[in-house]
């Protein structure tokens, strides 16, 4: 497995085209694997995510089973002249497997995840269920906390002195996720675009609601967490959702 | 020497030093004749009492611009209230929303008497023109054993709350002080203004030249924000997933 980071040159028209369309960016990410033919539908999973840290600091992260070649992205939306120097390549790729092997139960990490939190509802009896987005931060946090057990991690709970409410519960006794866990949710985005049907000329409107989670986790099941990190969490993995990354905790509080 | 400080704040002020006939202008700061006239009125001095005015106009005068205000123009087309005949068309200029600190340096007993007179004035005070009443009591206090310059530097910022809040990015603000030069400071290059009152007699008002020295002072802003909030772009937490990964060994 490989983890790759590419910095997007947001001033370029090519970057704007890619950033404005999750479909184009998915196509660009998928076409960076010289060893992977596009005809294989059930190939190994490629995950990607965009981190908008600042207006001109946008990173594309890709987790893939094969080493990617992002030359075409550098040409369209990077710094091609700077990339000529072998010391400053247009992207950075690191082997991911040694890091994944080092994950052990009980280890704590900072994490970031952009996901598509959804549930399935039936509005009236007899109707088929419909996939519906979680829109509020409380529901989005509950969505992630619901999945932490089987995904192999546990979101670290805040210590009592860091909480605003006693026990992290509201005055009515309900659990308040925002005050209970080391977890924030931000950047709610609603991606809406048209997708053409392969069978005919019809176009479908696709809407994907995404949320970015930041927090701290403790590994409970290293094997399950490895699966989460390499195969993704939640829906809409083709549109930049589901990739979770870990980073070392800051040494000083 | 003692110093009497005054706060001159009101919706409108008008301080003319060279106004003649139908064009009634205003300076950017209070004039000495305007402020001395206000004190003389508070004491109940009559118009022609030049002997009573002399000790007041001998006081050394200074002013600090706490809130400059805006200059506005009034094109006046008044008619006589009784006869209905039109008065001469005139242009009158005012300072709107301005705040000044004025200070007078001199004998302690005289200044204490003036301070008492301002608390119970014979004729009510106004800011340069009868139509401009002050919005707050004008007297701030008598400070014994202090120089004019020191008194103007020590006074806290008197600007309105909205003006102080507008400058909340600045922990200290720079204000202009306009004061009479001492004899040691005079070198012939100072600005002069014809607002040293000799007589307020109704039939013939007389003024002579006065030197004006301009300096600046930094005073703290009580409504300054303690720390600037970080820009919104910096709220994204730091996250570097490549930090935990080793470089590939070739």
């Amino acid at each position: 497995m490989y983890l790759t980071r590419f910095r997007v040159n947001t001033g370029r028209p090519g970057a704007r085209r890619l950033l404005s369309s999750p479909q184009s960016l998915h196509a660009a990410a998928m076409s960076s694997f010289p060893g992977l033919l596009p005809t294989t539908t059930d190939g190994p999973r490629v995950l990607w995510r965009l981190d908008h840290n600042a207006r001109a600091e946008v990173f594309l992260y890709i987790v893939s089973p094969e080493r990617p070649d992002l030359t075409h992205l550098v040409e369209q939306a990077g710094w091609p002249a700077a990339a000529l120097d072998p010391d400053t390549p247009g992207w950075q790729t690191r082997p991911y497997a040694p890091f994944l092997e080092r994950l052990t139960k009980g280890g704590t990490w900072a994490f970031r995840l952009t996901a598509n939190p959804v549930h399935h509802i039936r509005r009236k009896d007899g109707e088929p269920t419909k996939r519906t987005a979680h829109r509020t931060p409380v529901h989005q946090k509950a969505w992630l906390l619901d999945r932490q057990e089987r995904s192999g991690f546990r979101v670290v709970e805040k210590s009592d002195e860091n909480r605003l409410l006693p026990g992290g519960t509201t005055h009515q006794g309900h659990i308040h996720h925002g005050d209970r866990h080391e977890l924030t949710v931000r950047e709610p985005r609603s991606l809406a675009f048209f997708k053409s049907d392969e069978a005919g000329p019809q176009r479908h409107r696709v809407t994907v609601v995404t949320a970015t989670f930041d927090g701290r986790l403790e590994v409970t099941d290293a094997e399950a967490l490895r699966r989460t990190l390499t195969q993704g969490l939640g829906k809409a993995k083709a549109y930049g959702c589901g990739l979770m990354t870990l980073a070392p905790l800051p040494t000083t509080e | 020497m003692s110093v009497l400080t005054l706060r001159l704040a009101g919706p409108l002020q008008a301080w003319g030093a060279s106004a003649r006939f139908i064009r009634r202008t205003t300076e950017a700061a209070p004039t000495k004749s305007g402020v001395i006239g206000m004190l003389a009125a508070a004491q109940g001095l009559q118009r022609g009492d030049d002997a009573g005015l002399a000790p007041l106009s001998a006081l050394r005068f200074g002013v600090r611009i706490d809130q400059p205000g805006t200059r506005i123009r009034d094109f006046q087309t008044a008619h006589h209230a009784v006869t209905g005949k039109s008065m001469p068309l005139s242009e009158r200029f005012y300072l709107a929303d301005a705040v000044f600190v004025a200070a007078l340096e001199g004998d302690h007993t005289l200044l204490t008497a003036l301070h008492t007179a301002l608390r119970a004035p014979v004729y009510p005070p106004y800011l340069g023109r009868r139509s401009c009443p002050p919005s707050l009591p004008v007297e701030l206090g008598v400070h014994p054993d202090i120089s004019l310059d020191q008194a103007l530097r020590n006074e806290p910022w008197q600007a309105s709350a909205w003006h102080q809040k507008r400058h909340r990015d600045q922990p200290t603000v720079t204000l202009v002080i306009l004061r009479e030069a001492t004899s040691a400071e005079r070198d012939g290059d100072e600005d002069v203004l014809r607002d040293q009152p000799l007589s307020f007699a109704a039939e013939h008002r007389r003024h002579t030249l006065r030197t004006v020295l301009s300096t600046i002072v930094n005073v703290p802003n009580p409504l300054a924000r303690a720390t600037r909030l970080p820009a919104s772009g910096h709220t994204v937490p730091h996250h570097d997933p490549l930090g935990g990964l080793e470089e590939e060994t070739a």
Side-chain angles (χ1 to χ4, degrees):
Chain A
M1 297 298 295
Y2 294 91
L3 175 62
T4 304
R5 177 167 67 191
F6 167 71
R7 187 179 163 205
V8 182
N9 186 349
T10 50
R12 299 188 60 185
R16 294 173 187 205
R17 189 175 55 76
L18 287 172
L19 294 180
S20 61
S21 162
Q23 265 193 308
S24 309
L25 202 49
H26 173 65
M30 293 309 289
S31 55
S32 20
F33 299 98
L36 200 67
L37 292 176
T39 45
T40 54
T41 47
D42 53 350
R45 189 86 231 182
V46 173
L47 296 169
W48 60 269
R49 184 182 80 205
L50 274 177
D51 275 13
H52 295 263
N53 295 336
R55 185 186 286 254
E57 188 185 318
V58 177
F59 289 121
L60 170 68
Y61 285 103
I62 299 177
V63 165
S64 55
E66 290 197 22
R67 176 180 283 278
D69 179 356
L70 301 189
T71 315
H72 62 300
L73 276 178
V74 175
E75 284 163 357
Q76 290 175 67
W79 285 265
L84 289 178
D85 184 357
D87 290 338
T88 57
W91 69 91
Q92 294 149 287
T93 297
R94 304 267 168 91
Y96 208 21
F99 172 77
L100 293 174
E101 287 307 312
R102 275 193 288 129
L103 290 176
T104 50
K105 186 176 174 179
T108 53
W109 299 88
F111 73 91
R112 180 173 290 178
L113 163 71
T114 296
N116 170 225
V118 291
H119 58 147
H120 295 83
I121 60 163
R122 180 178 279 124
R123 289 166 299 180
K124 55 177 187 274
D125 283 342
E127 191 192 45
T129 57
K130 175 178 158 51
R131 189 193 285 180
T132 309
H134 281 304
R135 289 244 171 213
T136 67
V138 168
H139 286 113
Q140 290 167 345
K141 282 177 181 172
W143 174 89
L144 180 65
L145 294 168
D146 262 0
R147 276 152 185 79
Q148 55 179 353
E149 194 87 1
R150 65 188 116 120
S151 304
F153 64 91
R154 191 168 59 77
V155 178
V156 175
E157 294 206 5
K158 279 186 185 176
S159 60
D160 257 332
E161 60 262 30
N162 287 338
R163 283 179 182 158
L164 299 173
L165 303 166
T169 52
T170 65
H171 69 286
Q172 285 165 333
H174 299 312
I175 289 170
H176 193 292
H177 303 306
D179 202 34
R180 196 179 177 83
H181 294 98
E182 297 265 11
L183 178 64
T184 61
V185 59
R186 59 189 175 81
E187 275 197 17
R189 275 168 198 269
S190 199
L191 314 172
F193 51 93
F194 285 96
K195 182 183 178 186
S196 51
D197 195 343
E198 282 187 12
Q202 270 190 316
R203 296 207 305 166
H204 300 289
R205 189 181 159 79
V206 181
T207 311
V208 178
V209 174
T210 73
T212 301
F213 299 94
D214 279 282
R216 294 174 182 200
L217 61 78
E218 187 187 330
V219 184
T220 53
D221 180 349
E223 196 49 53
L225 184 59
R226 270 176 217 127
R227 201 170 58 238
T228 305
L229 294 178
T230 52
Q231 294 179 17
L233 185 58
K235 304 289 183 190
K237 297 190 186 80
Y239 301 127
C241 294
L243 169 56
M244 178 189 263
T245 52
L246 304 183
L249 286 176
T251 45
T252 51
E253 285 297 308
Chain B
M1 286 294 201
S2 298
V3 173
L4 168 67
T5 48
L6 311 171
R7 172 180 45 213
L8 306 174
L12 290 178
Q13 312 193 17
W15 305 97
S18 60
R20 291 286 181 274
F21 311 116
I22 59 164
R23 188 177 164 85
R24 317 301 299 189
T25 54
T26 175
E27 301 293 316
T31 54
K32 183 172 183 181
S33 55
V35 175
I36 294 292
M38 181 170 77
L39 296 171
Q43 279 199 320
L45 287 184
Q46 297 303 310
R47 277 279 183 192
D49 188 357
D50 293 352
L53 179 67
L56 295 189
S57 53
L59 297 170
R60 217 154 68 82
F61 175 74
V63 65
R64 193 179 74 187
I65 303 174
D66 281 31
Q67 183 178 329
T70 45
R71 200 180 294 234
I72 58 173
R73 168 180 171 267
D74 171 33
F75 181 63
Q76 188 172 322
T77 61
H79 286 71
H80 196 278
V82 180
T83 63
K85 280 174 121 180
S86 63
M87 311 280 268
L89 290 176
S90 69
E91 267 186 304
R92 285 156 193 252
F93 290 85
Y94 297 87
L95 294 175
D97 261 337
V99 180
F100 304 100
V101 170
L104 295 136
E105 185 191 72
D107 176 49
H108 187 72
T109 25
L110 173 61
L111 292 178
T112 317
L114 288 173
H115 185 249
T116 320
L118 279 174
R119 288 174 164 269
V122 177
Y123 302 111
Y126 52 84
L127 305 174
R129 193 173 287 159
R130 278 295 282 277
S131 58
C132 306
S135 58
L136 291 162
V138 292
E139 85 280 355
L140 284 171
V142 179
H143 310 279
D145 299 323
I146 196 170
S147 75
L148 179 74
D149 189 47
Q150 209 54 54
L152 284 171
R153 286 173 184 278
N154 289 354
E155 203 60 57
W157 199 23
Q158 300 287 344
S160 349
W162 67 264
H163 188 80
Q164 296 186 351
K165 222 178 272 176
R166 184 177 282 183
H167 292 78
R168 61 175 169 262
D169 290 346
Q170 304 166 9
T172 63
V173 285
T174 304
L175 305 178
V176 175
I177 290 178
L178 301 167
R179 62 177 172 84
E180 272 176 50
T182 59
S183 49
E185 287 169 334
R186 267 182 219 151
D187 59 3
D189 281 348
E190 299 85 14
D191 288 338
V192 287
L193 197 63
R194 188 173 289 280
D195 69 342
Q196 171 75 35
L198 293 176
S199 170
F200 285 133
E203 61 279 9
H204 188 55
R205 293 167 205 183
R206 284 185 296 131
H207 300 93
T208 185
L209 291 172
R210 178 176 72 95
T211 60
V212 178
L213 201 70
S214 170
T215 53
I216 56 166
V217 61
N218 288 309
V219 294
N221 179 2
L223 291 188
R225 207 157 36 196
T227 49
R228 296 201 61 172
L229 296 171
S232 58
H234 293 257
T235 53
V236 174
H238 177 77
H239 185 78
D240 179 20
L242 267 65
L245 273 61
E246 294 94 4
E247 291 262 9
E248 202 170 11
T249 46

